[in-house]
Amino acid sequence: MSEKVKYIKYCVFHPFDGFYEAKNRGRGSLIAATVLLCLYGILQCVKVQYTGFIMNLNHITRMNSVTIFISSLSVMLLFVISNWTTTTLFEGKGKLKHIYMVTCYSLLPIIFIDTIVVFASNFVISEETVILTALSTMGMVWFCFLIVTGLCTIHEFSLAKTLVTLVVTAFAALIILFLGVLFLSLLEQMFQFLYIFIKELMRRI
């Protein structure tokens, strides 16, 4: 277990070498990646509820932990699937599991820094919130850097091609989201029709 933790840390600070070894030497762990993804989802729930009142703009009374957790994970999984479908068209060399590991491992800076921010936000005054905001932004920038370098490495793309595929990935995610909403809407209408049909049939019987 300690070896897996050390490897995640290695990927965060040496992304080119770390993700290269994950792809070509079989290092990395899907279980460890999933644990990080779940920790990220839990952190989003914690941020809404326990961020200090000076920085917390959320309505805690309207909070739904299950919805926040599932939404956080869904966004990441949508990115993974969208990037996989997109890079397949661009002849990317990375497999779905490699994209998943890159995405989840890249979440570590956000998890680590935002945990500190949430804790510290309960002890700062309004003038000091800019420091915590800067820290949180640094975590997001670090995440983006790891995503780009990781995808460059596993797909064997140039930086320019990686950025292009990320833009296309965003469009693919919107299309998948639209089709998903359309499918659920049609499914709901179908169930409503069956319910009305069965209800009317029972009345006539």
Side-chain angles (χ1 to χ4, degrees):
M1 186 64 182
S2 60
E3 185 64 28
K4 293 179 181 178
V5 173
K6 289 179 181 178
Y7 180 69
I8 295 172
K9 180 181 175 183
Y10 180 74
C11 288
V12 169
F13 290 100
H14 305 87
F16 288 104
D17 293 336
F19 292 130
Y20 176 86
E21 291 184 7
K23 177 190 173 187
N24 297 291
R25 298 179 183 174
R27 299 192 66 181
S29 169
L30 291 175
I31 295 176
T34 303
V35 169
L36 284 174
L37 183 61
C38 290
L39 286 175
Y40 172 76
I42 294 171
L43 177 62
Q44 300 313 302
C45 299
V46 171
K47 283 175 65 177
V48 172
Q49 187 166 0
Y50 294 107
T51 298
F53 71 93
I54 295 177
M55 298 181 64
N56 197 342
L57 302 177
N58 301 294
H59 296 283
I60 299 178
T61 54
R62 302 176 186 174
M63 173 187 173
N64 188 321
S65 297
V66 176
T67 301
I68 295 171
F69 182 81
I70 293 176
S71 299
S72 302
L73 268 59
S74 298
V75 170
M76 293 301 164
L77 294 176
L78 179 62
F79 171 80
V80 171
I81 294 171
S82 302
N83 187 259
W84 176 65
T85 56
T86 300
T87 52
T88 299
L89 298 176
F90 283 82
E91 299 180 349
K93 301 296 191 298
K95 296 180 180 179
L96 182 61
K97 65 177 182 180
H98 298 142
I99 302 172
Y100 179 73
M101 279 194 289
V102 166
T103 303
C104 295
Y105 281 20
S106 298
L107 290 170
L108 184 59
I110 292 180
I111 295 171
F112 179 73
I113 293 176
D114 278 3
T115 299
I116 295 174
V117 169
V118 170
F119 176 77
S121 66
N122 292 279
F123 304 98
V124 297
I125 59 177
S126 57
E127 289 79 7
E128 297 170 337
T129 57
V130 64
I131 300 174
L132 298 183
T133 302
L135 275 177
S136 184
T137 302
M138 185 179 73
M140 182 59 66
V141 171
W142 198 347
F143 164 76
C144 294
F145 171 74
L146 291 175
I147 282 286
V148 172
T149 54
L151 295 178
C152 276
T153 303
I154 64 170
H155 291 307
E156 299 179 18
F157 286 165
S158 64
L159 176 60
K161 191 172 183 179
T162 299
L163 294 177
V164 169
T165 56
L166 284 173
V167 173
V168 180
T169 295
F171 282 107
L174 291 175
I175 293 172
I176 293 173
L177 192 62
F178 171 76
L179 292 176
V181 171
L182 182 62
F183 173 75
L184 291 176
S185 177
L186 291 174
L187 201 62
E188 182 183 8
Q189 291 180 19
M190 184 183 71
F191 279 121
Q192 286 180 350
F193 171 77
L194 289 175
Y195 173 76
I196 294 173
F197 175 77
I198 293 173
K199 187 176 180 181
E200 187 66 23
L201 184 64
M202 293 297 292
R203 287 178 58 187
R204 293 182 181 275
I205 293 176

